[in-house]
Amino acid sequence: ETGVTQTPRHLVMGMTNKKSLKCEQHLGHNAMYWYKQSAKKPLELMFVYNFKEQTENNSVPSRFSPECPNSSHLFLHLHTLQPEDSALYLCASSQDGGQGDRYGYTFGSGTRLTVV
Amino acid sequence: GESVGLHLPTLSVQEGDNSIINCAYSNSASDYFIWYKQESGKGPQFIIDIRSNMDKRQGQRVTVLLNKTVKHLSLQIAATQPGDSAVYFCAEIPFYGQNFVFGPGTRLSVLP
């Protein structure tokens, strides 16, 4: 266990379904991230939250909707996904040093999402 | 734009031998680099990091070398073990305060 917990570990959903991925970090970090990892592609940064505020959205389609209610929890709400959205979705957290330094960048184990 | 890439997508080594995984980066101003290991079914795990003011850093059985002249990063694993089989990613922060840019990864297979 890395200190970043993601649930569920596996998810199969239809294209008309609505589901949510959950991430919780127990490290006291103040920044949280969503990444997408698909076959043969580098890790793609999706969203960044610093101190619960979204600071980055890397041109992610609106069918992905993040939510960060507090510094320890991060959600990714999914609706009307496409089969090409099938991937491993990874959450990470870090401590933002306030001057751009990011310490302790830690990943969760990911949610393996399959869209059918 | 800035990119982080890997010279070899796959690497097979004999158990007990040393492994060297390479990574090229394009931004000479990059300040901070990390190597991650990702085992099957798990998220990337931190192995070792290095700042641009260093050339070498050693951990337990691992060494990271940074050659800023040619913008090259390498991870050396001594006495490779079966448990080292995984995908290894290098990552850089291209600009101060920016987010990590990850390379595509190298799969390391340890042969018995």
Side-chain angles (χ1 to χ4, degrees), chain A residues 9 33 35 37 42-43 45 48 56 90 99-102 105 107-109, chain B residues 32 34 36 38 41-45 51 89 96-100 102-104:
Chain A
R9 291 296 306 274
Y33 313 80
Y35 283 86
Q37 186 179 39
L43 284 161
L45 180 64
V48 180
E56 190 157 341
L90 289 159
Q99 295 181 9
D101 285 335
R102 301 194 188 277
Y105 214 96
F107 284 89
S109 296
Chain B
Y32 181 54
I34 293 182
Y36 282 93
Q38 186 173 20
K42 297 184 179 180
Q45 292 180 290
R51 290 208 171 270
F89 294 92
Y96 190 70
Q98 296 301 305
N99 294 301
F100 281 107
F102 288 87

PDB file of all heavy atoms in Angstrom, chain A residues 9 33 35 37 42-43 45 48 56 90 99-102 105 107-109, chain B residues 32 34 36 38 41-45 51 89 96-100 102-104:
ATOM      1  N   ARG A   9     -10.875  -1.284  -8.127  1.00  0.00           N
ATOM      2  CA  ARG A   9      -9.670  -1.691  -8.852  1.00  0.00           C
ATOM      3  C   ARG A   9      -9.992  -2.001 -10.305  1.00  0.00           C
ATOM      4  O   ARG A   9      -9.168  -1.788 -11.193  1.00  0.00           O
ATOM      5  CB  ARG A   9      -9.047  -2.920  -8.184  1.00  0.00           C
ATOM      6  CG  ARG A   9      -8.435  -2.646  -6.824  1.00  0.00           C
ATOM      7  CD  ARG A   9      -7.257  -1.673  -6.914  1.00  0.00           C
ATOM      8  NE  ARG A   9      -6.234  -2.089  -7.860  1.00  0.00           N
ATOM      9  CZ  ARG A   9      -5.238  -2.911  -7.568  1.00  0.00           C
ATOM     10  NH1 ARG A   9      -5.119  -3.431  -6.365  1.00  0.00           N
ATOM     11  NH2 ARG A   9      -4.343  -3.219  -8.514  1.00  0.00           N
ATOM     12  N   TYR A  33      -3.741  14.329  -8.486  1.00  0.00           N
ATOM     13  CA  TYR A  33      -3.704  14.279  -9.940  1.00  0.00           C
ATOM     14  C   TYR A  33      -4.490  13.070 -10.443  1.00  0.00           C
ATOM     15  O   TYR A  33      -4.510  12.021  -9.794  1.00  0.00           O
ATOM     16  CB  TYR A  33      -2.253  14.119 -10.424  1.00  0.00           C
ATOM     17  CG  TYR A  33      -1.253  15.043  -9.774  1.00  0.00           C
ATOM     18  CD1 TYR A  33      -0.736  14.769  -8.515  1.00  0.00           C
ATOM     19  CD2 TYR A  33      -0.813  16.189 -10.428  1.00  0.00           C
ATOM     20  CE1 TYR A  33       0.186  15.608  -7.911  1.00  0.00           C
ATOM     21  CE2 TYR A  33       0.112  17.032  -9.834  1.00  0.00           C
ATOM     22  CZ  TYR A  33       0.603  16.736  -8.573  1.00  0.00           C
ATOM     23  OH  TYR A  33       1.512  17.575  -7.975  1.00  0.00           O
ATOM     24  N   TYR A  35      -4.324  10.636 -13.896  1.00  0.00           N
ATOM     25  CA  TYR A  35      -3.601  10.273 -15.107  1.00  0.00           C
ATOM     26  C   TYR A  35      -4.362   9.162 -15.824  1.00  0.00           C
ATOM     27  O   TYR A  35      -5.019   8.335 -15.194  1.00  0.00           O
ATOM     28  CB  TYR A  35      -2.209   9.725 -14.780  1.00  0.00           C
ATOM     29  CG  TYR A  35      -1.178  10.752 -14.424  1.00  0.00           C
ATOM     30  CD1 TYR A  35      -1.043  11.206 -13.105  1.00  0.00           C
ATOM     31  CD2 TYR A  35      -0.310  11.259 -15.378  1.00  0.00           C
ATOM     32  CE1 TYR A  35      -0.077  12.138 -12.771  1.00  0.00           C
ATOM     33  CE2 TYR A  35       0.662  12.188 -15.045  1.00  0.00           C
ATOM     34  CZ  TYR A  35       0.762  12.625 -13.742  1.00  0.00           C
ATOM     35  OH  TYR A  35       1.719  13.546 -13.410  1.00  0.00           O
ATOM     36  N   GLN A  37      -3.540   5.957 -18.400  1.00  0.00           N
ATOM     37  CA  GLN A  37      -2.472   5.132 -18.956  1.00  0.00           C
ATOM     38  C   GLN A  37      -3.101   4.081 -19.855  1.00  0.00           C
ATOM     39  O   GLN A  37      -3.800   3.193 -19.394  1.00  0.00           O
ATOM     40  CB  GLN A  37      -1.659   4.461 -17.854  1.00  0.00           C
ATOM     41  CG  GLN A  37      -0.448   3.699 -18.364  1.00  0.00           C
ATOM     42  CD  GLN A  37       0.350   3.072 -17.238  1.00  0.00           C
ATOM     43  OE1 GLN A  37      -0.210   2.574 -16.271  1.00  0.00           O
ATOM     44  NE2 GLN A  37       1.672   3.094 -17.358  1.00  0.00           N
ATOM     45  N   PRO A  42       2.493   6.876 -23.178  1.00  0.00           N
ATOM     46  CA  PRO A  42       3.001   7.419 -21.917  1.00  0.00           C
ATOM     47  C   PRO A  42       1.855   7.814 -21.011  1.00  0.00           C
ATOM     48  O   PRO A  42       0.720   7.971 -21.461  1.00  0.00           O
ATOM     49  CB  PRO A  42       3.798   8.650 -22.342  1.00  0.00           C
ATOM     50  CG  PRO A  42       4.013   8.513 -23.798  1.00  0.00           C
ATOM     51  CD  PRO A  42       2.879   7.711 -24.316  1.00  0.00           C
ATOM     52  N   LEU A  43       2.161   7.991 -19.765  1.00  0.00           N
ATOM     53  CA  LEU A  43       1.178   8.497 -18.826  1.00  0.00           C
ATOM     54  C   LEU A  43       0.698   9.877 -19.277  1.00  0.00           C
ATOM     55  O   LEU A  43       1.491  10.768 -19.552  1.00  0.00           O
ATOM     56  CB  LEU A  43       1.789   8.601 -17.432  1.00  0.00           C
ATOM     57  CG  LEU A  43       1.953   7.280 -16.679  1.00  0.00           C
ATOM     58  CD1 LEU A  43       2.951   7.434 -15.555  1.00  0.00           C
ATOM     59  CD2 LEU A  43       0.619   6.803 -16.157  1.00  0.00           C
ATOM     60  N   LEU A  45      -1.353  13.166 -18.289  1.00  0.00           N
ATOM     61  CA  LEU A  45      -1.937  13.941 -17.203  1.00  0.00           C
ATOM     62  C   LEU A  45      -3.299  14.472 -17.632  1.00  0.00           C
ATOM     63  O   LEU A  45      -3.436  15.043 -18.716  1.00  0.00           O
ATOM     64  CB  LEU A  45      -1.011  15.108 -16.841  1.00  0.00           C
ATOM     65  CG  LEU A  45      -1.468  16.032 -15.720  1.00  0.00           C
ATOM     66  CD1 LEU A  45      -1.557  15.272 -14.403  1.00  0.00           C
ATOM     67  CD2 LEU A  45      -0.523  17.210 -15.599  1.00  0.00           C
ATOM     68  N   VAL A  48      -5.210  18.351 -12.438  1.00  0.00           N
ATOM     69  CA  VAL A  48      -4.385  18.631 -11.281  1.00  0.00           C
ATOM     70  C   VAL A  48      -5.188  19.478 -10.312  1.00  0.00           C
ATOM     71  O   VAL A  48      -5.844  20.452 -10.716  1.00  0.00           O
ATOM     72  CB  VAL A  48      -3.106  19.405 -11.652  1.00  0.00           C
ATOM     73  CG1 VAL A  48      -2.258  19.685 -10.408  1.00  0.00           C
ATOM     74  CG2 VAL A  48      -2.293  18.649 -12.688  1.00  0.00           C
ATOM     75  N   GLU A  56      -5.240  22.568 -13.391  1.00  0.00           N
ATOM     76  CA  GLU A  56      -4.901  22.163 -14.739  1.00  0.00           C
ATOM     77  C   GLU A  56      -5.936  21.179 -15.261  1.00  0.00           C
ATOM     78  O   GLU A  56      -6.375  20.288 -14.549  1.00  0.00           O
ATOM     79  CB  GLU A  56      -3.510  21.519 -14.781  1.00  0.00           C
ATOM     80  CG  GLU A  56      -2.977  21.287 -16.177  1.00  0.00           C
ATOM     81  CD  GLU A  56      -1.468  21.188 -16.210  1.00  0.00           C
ATOM     82  OE1 GLU A  56      -0.804  21.644 -15.261  1.00  0.00           O
ATOM     83  OE2 GLU A  56      -0.945  20.657 -17.201  1.00  0.00           O
ATOM     84  N   LEU A  90      -4.980   6.367 -13.164  1.00  0.00           N
ATOM     85  CA  LEU A  90      -4.126   6.441 -11.990  1.00  0.00           C
ATOM     86  C   LEU A  90      -4.316   7.768 -11.284  1.00  0.00           C
ATOM     87  O   LEU A  90      -4.401   8.820 -11.916  1.00  0.00           O
ATOM     88  CB  LEU A  90      -2.650   6.299 -12.399  1.00  0.00           C
ATOM     89  CG  LEU A  90      -2.216   4.917 -12.862  1.00  0.00           C
ATOM     90  CD1 LEU A  90      -0.958   5.000 -13.695  1.00  0.00           C
ATOM     91  CD2 LEU A  90      -1.986   4.006 -11.665  1.00  0.00           C
ATOM     92  N   GLN A  99       6.653  26.650  -4.099  1.00  0.00           N
ATOM     93  CA  GLN A  99       7.513  27.343  -5.042  1.00  0.00           C
ATOM     94  C   GLN A  99       7.752  26.463  -6.263  1.00  0.00           C
ATOM     95  O   GLN A  99       8.761  26.574  -6.938  1.00  0.00           O
ATOM     96  CB  GLN A  99       8.845  27.692  -4.375  1.00  0.00           C
ATOM     97  CG  GLN A  99       8.691  28.674  -3.232  1.00  0.00           C
ATOM     98  CD  GLN A  99      10.021  29.025  -2.605  1.00  0.00           C
ATOM     99  OE1 GLN A  99      11.064  28.665  -3.117  1.00  0.00           O
ATOM    100  NE2 GLN A  99       9.967  29.720  -1.481  1.00  0.00           N
ATOM    101  N   GLY A 100       6.783  25.585  -6.500  1.00  0.00           N
ATOM    102  CA  GLY A 100       6.873  24.728  -7.668  1.00  0.00           C
ATOM    103  C   GLY A 100       7.482  23.381  -7.386  1.00  0.00           C
ATOM    104  O   GLY A 100       7.402  22.473  -8.204  1.00  0.00           O
ATOM    105  N   ASP A 101       8.098  23.205  -6.226  1.00  0.00           N
ATOM    106  CA  ASP A 101       8.651  21.887  -5.922  1.00  0.00           C
ATOM    107  C   ASP A 101       7.532  20.932  -5.536  1.00  0.00           C
ATOM    108  O   ASP A 101       6.630  21.295  -4.788  1.00  0.00           O
ATOM    109  CB  ASP A 101       9.639  21.989  -4.758  1.00  0.00           C
ATOM    110  CG  ASP A 101      10.954  22.596  -5.194  1.00  0.00           C
ATOM    111  OD1 ASP A 101      11.280  22.498  -6.391  1.00  0.00           O
ATOM    112  OD2 ASP A 101      11.650  23.168  -4.351  1.00  0.00           O
ATOM    113  N   ARG A 102       7.628  19.736  -6.049  1.00  0.00           N
ATOM    114  CA  ARG A 102       6.621  18.728  -5.734  1.00  0.00           C
ATOM    115  C   ARG A 102       7.334  17.545  -5.094  1.00  0.00           C
ATOM    116  O   ARG A 102       8.132  16.873  -5.741  1.00  0.00           O
ATOM    117  CB  ARG A 102       5.892  18.291  -6.997  1.00  0.00           C
ATOM    118  CG  ARG A 102       5.206  19.455  -7.702  1.00  0.00           C
ATOM    119  CD  ARG A 102       4.219  18.962  -8.737  1.00  0.00           C
ATOM    120  NE  ARG A 102       3.697  20.059  -9.545  1.00  0.00           N
ATOM    121  CZ  ARG A 102       2.711  20.840  -9.185  1.00  0.00           C
ATOM    122  NH1 ARG A 102       2.148  20.682  -8.022  1.00  0.00           N
ATOM    123  NH2 ARG A 102       2.277  21.799  -9.977  1.00  0.00           N
ATOM    124  N   TYR A 105       5.953  12.513  -4.792  1.00  0.00           N
ATOM    125  CA  TYR A 105       4.970  12.179  -5.832  1.00  0.00           C
ATOM    126  C   TYR A 105       4.670  10.688  -5.751  1.00  0.00           C
ATOM    127  O   TYR A 105       5.511   9.861  -6.056  1.00  0.00           O
ATOM    128  CB  TYR A 105       5.561  12.522  -7.187  1.00  0.00           C
ATOM    129  CG  TYR A 105       4.605  13.018  -8.226  1.00  0.00           C
ATOM    130  CD1 TYR A 105       4.435  14.382  -8.436  1.00  0.00           C
ATOM    131  CD2 TYR A 105       3.899  12.137  -9.023  1.00  0.00           C
ATOM    132  CE1 TYR A 105       3.587  14.851  -9.416  1.00  0.00           C
ATOM    133  CE2 TYR A 105       3.049  12.598 -10.007  1.00  0.00           C
ATOM    134  CZ  TYR A 105       2.898  13.958 -10.208  1.00  0.00           C
ATOM    135  OH  TYR A 105       2.050  14.424 -11.180  1.00  0.00           O
ATOM    136  N   PHE A 107       1.878   7.409  -6.503  1.00  0.00           N
ATOM    137  CA  PHE A 107       0.753   6.912  -7.287  1.00  0.00           C
ATOM    138  C   PHE A 107      -0.046   5.877  -6.516  1.00  0.00           C
ATOM    139  O   PHE A 107       0.494   5.133  -5.690  1.00  0.00           O
ATOM    140  CB  PHE A 107       1.253   6.256  -8.580  1.00  0.00           C
ATOM    141  CG  PHE A 107       1.694   7.223  -9.631  1.00  0.00           C
ATOM    142  CD1 PHE A 107       3.001   7.666  -9.671  1.00  0.00           C
ATOM    143  CD2 PHE A 107       0.801   7.681 -10.596  1.00  0.00           C
ATOM    144  CE1 PHE A 107       3.418   8.558 -10.647  1.00  0.00           C
ATOM    145  CE2 PHE A 107       1.215   8.571 -11.575  1.00  0.00           C
ATOM    146  CZ  PHE A 107       2.516   9.010 -11.599  1.00  0.00           C
ATOM    147  N   GLY A 108      -1.339   5.802  -6.837  1.00  0.00           N
ATOM    148  CA  GLY A 108      -2.159   4.688  -6.409  1.00  0.00           C
ATOM    149  C   GLY A 108      -1.994   3.526  -7.371  1.00  0.00           C
ATOM    150  O   GLY A 108      -1.226   3.608  -8.345  1.00  0.00           O
ATOM    151  N   SER A 109      -2.711   2.439  -7.122  1.00  0.00           N
ATOM    152  CA  SER A 109      -2.599   1.246  -7.967  1.00  0.00           C
ATOM    153  C   SER A 109      -3.465   1.322  -9.206  1.00  0.00           C
ATOM    154  O   SER A 109      -3.340   0.488 -10.098  1.00  0.00           O
ATOM    155  CB  SER A 109      -2.956   0.002  -7.162  1.00  0.00           C
ATOM    156  OG  SER A 109      -2.026  -0.188  -6.121  1.00  0.00           O
TER     157      SER A 109
ATOM    158  N   TYR B  32      14.502  18.472 -12.532  1.00  0.00           N
ATOM    159  CA  TYR B  32      14.298  17.367 -11.590  1.00  0.00           C
ATOM    160  C   TYR B  32      13.840  16.148 -12.368  1.00  0.00           C
ATOM    161  O   TYR B  32      12.994  16.246 -13.259  1.00  0.00           O
ATOM    162  CB  TYR B  32      13.250  17.797 -10.566  1.00  0.00           C
ATOM    163  CG  TYR B  32      12.917  16.792  -9.488  1.00  0.00           C
ATOM    164  CD1 TYR B  32      13.913  16.241  -8.692  1.00  0.00           C
ATOM    165  CD2 TYR B  32      11.606  16.423  -9.241  1.00  0.00           C
ATOM    166  CE1 TYR B  32      13.609  15.345  -7.690  1.00  0.00           C
ATOM    167  CE2 TYR B  32      11.284  15.523  -8.243  1.00  0.00           C
ATOM    168  CZ  TYR B  32      12.290  14.994  -7.472  1.00  0.00           C
ATOM    169  OH  TYR B  32      11.982  14.101  -6.461  1.00  0.00           O
ATOM    170  N   ILE B  34      12.883  11.756 -12.116  1.00  0.00           N
ATOM    171  CA  ILE B  34      12.547  10.612 -11.267  1.00  0.00           C
ATOM    172  C   ILE B  34      12.488   9.363 -12.137  1.00  0.00           C
ATOM    173  O   ILE B  34      12.058   9.414 -13.292  1.00  0.00           O
ATOM    174  CB  ILE B  34      11.168  10.795 -10.573  1.00  0.00           C
ATOM    175  CG1 ILE B  34      11.216  11.945  -9.561  1.00  0.00           C
ATOM    176  CG2 ILE B  34      10.745   9.526  -9.858  1.00  0.00           C
ATOM    177  CD1 ILE B  34       9.899  12.121  -8.816  1.00  0.00           C
ATOM    178  N   TYR B  36      10.597   5.675 -12.123  1.00  0.00           N
ATOM    179  CA  TYR B  36       9.521   4.911 -11.520  1.00  0.00           C
ATOM    180  C   TYR B  36       9.551   3.481 -12.039  1.00  0.00           C
ATOM    181  O   TYR B  36       9.943   3.220 -13.183  1.00  0.00           O
ATOM    182  CB  TYR B  36       8.152   5.496 -11.872  1.00  0.00           C
ATOM    183  CG  TYR B  36       7.764   6.718 -11.086  1.00  0.00           C
ATOM    184  CD1 TYR B  36       8.027   7.997 -11.564  1.00  0.00           C
ATOM    185  CD2 TYR B  36       7.125   6.598  -9.858  1.00  0.00           C
ATOM    186  CE1 TYR B  36       7.677   9.114 -10.839  1.00  0.00           C
ATOM    187  CE2 TYR B  36       6.766   7.719  -9.130  1.00  0.00           C
ATOM    188  CZ  TYR B  36       7.047   8.970  -9.629  1.00  0.00           C
ATOM    189  OH  TYR B  36       6.697  10.078  -8.909  1.00  0.00           O
ATOM    190  N   GLN B  38       6.952   0.174 -12.536  1.00  0.00           N
ATOM    191  CA  GLN B  38       5.550  -0.225 -12.520  1.00  0.00           C
ATOM    192  C   GLN B  38       5.441  -1.715 -12.770  1.00  0.00           C
ATOM    193  O   GLN B  38       5.710  -2.203 -13.868  1.00  0.00           O
ATOM    194  CB  GLN B  38       4.740   0.546 -13.562  1.00  0.00           C
ATOM    195  CG  GLN B  38       3.247   0.276 -13.488  1.00  0.00           C
ATOM    196  CD  GLN B  38       2.428   1.161 -14.406  1.00  0.00           C
ATOM    197  OE1 GLN B  38       2.937   1.726 -15.369  1.00  0.00           O
ATOM    198  NE2 GLN B  38       1.143   1.304 -14.115  1.00  0.00           N
ATOM    199  N   GLY B  41      -0.271  -4.711 -12.805  1.00  0.00           N
ATOM    200  CA  GLY B  41      -1.402  -4.542 -11.915  1.00  0.00           C
ATOM    201  C   GLY B  41      -1.217  -3.501 -10.834  1.00  0.00           C
ATOM    202  O   GLY B  41      -2.068  -3.342  -9.958  1.00  0.00           O
ATOM    203  N   LYS B  42      -0.115  -2.777 -10.875  1.00  0.00           N
ATOM    204  CA  LYS B  42       0.159  -1.768  -9.849  1.00  0.00           C
ATOM    205  C   LYS B  42       0.428  -0.419 -10.500  1.00  0.00           C
ATOM    206  O   LYS B  42       0.708  -0.317 -11.687  1.00  0.00           O
ATOM    207  CB  LYS B  42       1.366  -2.177  -9.013  1.00  0.00           C
ATOM    208  CG  LYS B  42       1.181  -3.467  -8.220  1.00  0.00           C
ATOM    209  CD  LYS B  42       2.397  -3.726  -7.363  1.00  0.00           C
ATOM    210  CE  LYS B  42       2.211  -5.001  -6.546  1.00  0.00           C
ATOM    211  NZ  LYS B  42       3.419  -5.272  -5.689  1.00  0.00           N
ATOM    212  N   GLY B  43       0.359   0.605  -9.681  1.00  0.00           N
ATOM    213  CA  GLY B  43       0.725   1.920 -10.146  1.00  0.00           C
ATOM    214  C   GLY B  43       2.233   2.107 -10.104  1.00  0.00           C
ATOM    215  O   GLY B  43       2.955   1.310  -9.495  1.00  0.00           O
ATOM    216  N   PRO B  44       2.742   3.142 -10.759  1.00  0.00           N
ATOM    217  CA  PRO B  44       4.185   3.415 -10.724  1.00  0.00           C
ATOM    218  C   PRO B  44       4.670   3.673  -9.300  1.00  0.00           C
ATOM    219  O   PRO B  44       4.006   4.359  -8.525  1.00  0.00           O
ATOM    220  CB  PRO B  44       4.322   4.674 -11.583  1.00  0.00           C
ATOM    221  CG  PRO B  44       3.118   4.683 -12.463  1.00  0.00           C
ATOM    222  CD  PRO B  44       2.029   4.085 -11.633  1.00  0.00           C
ATOM    223  N   GLN B  45       5.817   3.114  -8.977  1.00  0.00           N
ATOM    224  CA  GLN B  45       6.402   3.307  -7.657  1.00  0.00           C
ATOM    225  C   GLN B  45       7.736   4.017  -7.788  1.00  0.00           C
ATOM    226  O   GLN B  45       8.560   3.669  -8.644  1.00  0.00           O
ATOM    227  CB  GLN B  45       6.607   1.958  -6.966  1.00  0.00           C
ATOM    228  CG  GLN B  45       5.306   1.259  -6.603  1.00  0.00           C
ATOM    229  CD  GLN B  45       5.562  -0.071  -5.918  1.00  0.00           C
ATOM    230  OE1 GLN B  45       6.014  -1.014  -6.533  1.00  0.00           O
ATOM    231  NE2 GLN B  45       5.294  -0.121  -4.630  1.00  0.00           N
ATOM    232  N   ARG B  51      18.418  15.674  -8.973  1.00  0.00           N
ATOM    233  CA  ARG B  51      18.256  17.064  -9.390  1.00  0.00           C
ATOM    234  C   ARG B  51      19.332  17.406 -10.399  1.00  0.00           C
ATOM    235  O   ARG B  51      20.367  16.746 -10.497  1.00  0.00           O
ATOM    236  CB  ARG B  51      18.337  17.999  -8.185  1.00  0.00           C
ATOM    237  CG  ARG B  51      17.136  17.862  -7.277  1.00  0.00           C
ATOM    238  CD  ARG B  51      16.849  19.156  -6.525  1.00  0.00           C
ATOM    239  NE  ARG B  51      15.575  19.071  -5.825  1.00  0.00           N
ATOM    240  CZ  ARG B  51      14.416  19.435  -6.369  1.00  0.00           C
ATOM    241  NH1 ARG B  51      14.377  19.914  -7.585  1.00  0.00           N
ATOM    242  NH2 ARG B  51      13.303  19.341  -5.681  1.00  0.00           N
ATOM    243  N   PHE B  89       9.803   3.826 -15.948  1.00  0.00           N
ATOM    244  CA  PHE B  89       9.536   5.122 -16.565  1.00  0.00           C
ATOM    245  C   PHE B  89      10.510   6.156 -16.018  1.00  0.00           C
ATOM    246  O   PHE B  89      10.771   6.204 -14.820  1.00  0.00           O
ATOM    247  CB  PHE B  89       8.134   5.631 -16.198  1.00  0.00           C
ATOM    248  CG  PHE B  89       7.004   4.820 -16.739  1.00  0.00           C
ATOM    249  CD1 PHE B  89       6.453   3.789 -15.996  1.00  0.00           C
ATOM    250  CD2 PHE B  89       6.477   5.096 -17.987  1.00  0.00           C
ATOM    251  CE1 PHE B  89       5.398   3.042 -16.485  1.00  0.00           C
ATOM    252  CE2 PHE B  89       5.414   4.359 -18.483  1.00  0.00           C
ATOM    253  CZ  PHE B  89       4.876   3.332 -17.732  1.00  0.00           C
ATOM    254  N   TYR B  96      10.422  24.793 -14.023  1.00  0.00           N
ATOM    255  CA  TYR B  96      10.219  24.966 -12.593  1.00  0.00           C
ATOM    256  C   TYR B  96       8.740  25.184 -12.306  1.00  0.00           C
ATOM    257  O   TYR B  96       8.109  26.063 -12.849  1.00  0.00           O
ATOM    258  CB  TYR B  96      11.029  26.174 -12.119  1.00  0.00           C
ATOM    259  CG  TYR B  96      11.095  26.316 -10.629  1.00  0.00           C
ATOM    260  CD1 TYR B  96      11.819  25.422  -9.870  1.00  0.00           C
ATOM    261  CD2 TYR B  96      10.439  27.362  -9.985  1.00  0.00           C
ATOM    262  CE1 TYR B  96      11.893  25.558  -8.501  1.00  0.00           C
ATOM    263  CE2 TYR B  96      10.517  27.505  -8.620  1.00  0.00           C
ATOM    264  CZ  TYR B  96      11.247  26.601  -7.882  1.00  0.00           C
ATOM    265  OH  TYR B  96      11.321  26.738  -6.530  1.00  0.00           O
ATOM    266  N   GLY B  97       8.183  24.350 -11.466  1.00  0.00           N
ATOM    267  CA  GLY B  97       6.780  24.478 -11.103  1.00  0.00           C
ATOM    268  C   GLY B  97       5.825  23.752 -12.011  1.00  0.00           C
ATOM    269  O   GLY B  97       4.628  23.741 -11.751  1.00  0.00           O
ATOM    270  N   GLN B  98       6.326  23.169 -13.064  1.00  0.00           N
ATOM    271  CA  GLN B  98       5.437  22.447 -13.978  1.00  0.00           C
ATOM    272  C   GLN B  98       5.247  21.007 -13.520  1.00  0.00           C
ATOM    273  O   GLN B  98       5.877  20.547 -12.580  1.00  0.00           O
ATOM    274  CB  GLN B  98       6.033  22.462 -15.389  1.00  0.00           C
ATOM    275  CG  GLN B  98       6.128  23.843 -15.979  1.00  0.00           C
ATOM    276  CD  GLN B  98       4.772  24.509 -16.064  1.00  0.00           C
ATOM    277  OE1 GLN B  98       3.850  23.961 -16.656  1.00  0.00           O
ATOM    278  NE2 GLN B  98       4.631  25.683 -15.472  1.00  0.00           N
ATOM    279  N   ASN B  99       4.342  20.310 -14.210  1.00  0.00           N
ATOM    280  CA  ASN B  99       4.085  18.926 -13.851  1.00  0.00           C
ATOM    281  C   ASN B  99       5.041  17.989 -14.578  1.00  0.00           C
ATOM    282  O   ASN B  99       5.675  18.350 -15.557  1.00  0.00           O
ATOM    283  CB  ASN B  99       2.640  18.571 -14.209  1.00  0.00           C
ATOM    284  CG  ASN B  99       1.655  19.346 -13.362  1.00  0.00           C
ATOM    285  OD1 ASN B  99       1.657  19.252 -12.146  1.00  0.00           O
ATOM    286  ND2 ASN B  99       0.833  20.153 -14.015  1.00  0.00           N
ATOM    287  N   PHE B 100       5.105  16.783 -14.072  1.00  0.00           N
ATOM    288  CA  PHE B 100       6.003  15.804 -14.664  1.00  0.00           C
ATOM    289  C   PHE B 100       5.602  15.454 -16.100  1.00  0.00           C
ATOM    290  O   PHE B 100       4.429  15.396 -16.425  1.00  0.00           O
ATOM    291  CB  PHE B 100       5.990  14.515 -13.837  1.00  0.00           C
ATOM    292  CG  PHE B 100       6.818  14.596 -12.599  1.00  0.00           C
ATOM    293  CD1 PHE B 100       6.219  14.682 -11.355  1.00  0.00           C
ATOM    294  CD2 PHE B 100       8.200  14.574 -12.668  1.00  0.00           C
ATOM    295  CE1 PHE B 100       6.981  14.764 -10.211  1.00  0.00           C
ATOM    296  CE2 PHE B 100       8.964  14.651 -11.520  1.00  0.00           C
ATOM    297  CZ  PHE B 100       8.358  14.746 -10.296  1.00  0.00           C
ATOM    298  N   PHE B 102       6.249  12.238 -18.539  1.00  0.00           N
ATOM    299  CA  PHE B 102       6.701  10.856 -18.440  1.00  0.00           C
ATOM    300  C   PHE B 102       7.118  10.316 -19.800  1.00  0.00           C
ATOM    301  O   PHE B 102       6.504  10.629 -20.822  1.00  0.00           O
ATOM    302  CB  PHE B 102       5.579   9.972 -17.885  1.00  0.00           C
ATOM    303  CG  PHE B 102       5.307  10.189 -16.433  1.00  0.00           C
ATOM    304  CD1 PHE B 102       4.434  11.180 -16.014  1.00  0.00           C
ATOM    305  CD2 PHE B 102       5.943   9.420 -15.471  1.00  0.00           C
ATOM    306  CE1 PHE B 102       4.180  11.403 -14.667  1.00  0.00           C
ATOM    307  CE2 PHE B 102       5.715   9.626 -14.124  1.00  0.00           C
ATOM    308  CZ  PHE B 102       4.837  10.617 -13.723  1.00  0.00           C
ATOM    309  N   GLY B 103       8.136   9.493 -19.798  1.00  0.00           N
ATOM    310  CA  GLY B 103       8.533   8.779 -20.993  1.00  0.00           C
ATOM    311  C   GLY B 103       7.617   7.598 -21.247  1.00  0.00           C
ATOM    312  O   GLY B 103       6.785   7.264 -20.412  1.00  0.00           O
ATOM    313  N   PRO B 104       7.765   6.941 -22.398  1.00  0.00           N
ATOM    314  CA  PRO B 104       6.863   5.840 -22.752  1.00  0.00           C
ATOM    315  C   PRO B 104       7.105   4.567 -21.945  1.00  0.00           C
ATOM    316  O   PRO B 104       6.236   3.710 -21.893  1.00  0.00           O
ATOM    317  CB  PRO B 104       7.141   5.605 -24.237  1.00  0.00           C
ATOM    318  CG  PRO B 104       8.515   6.129 -24.456  1.00  0.00           C
ATOM    319  CD  PRO B 104       8.683   7.278 -23.493  1.00  0.00           C
TER     320      PRO B 104
END
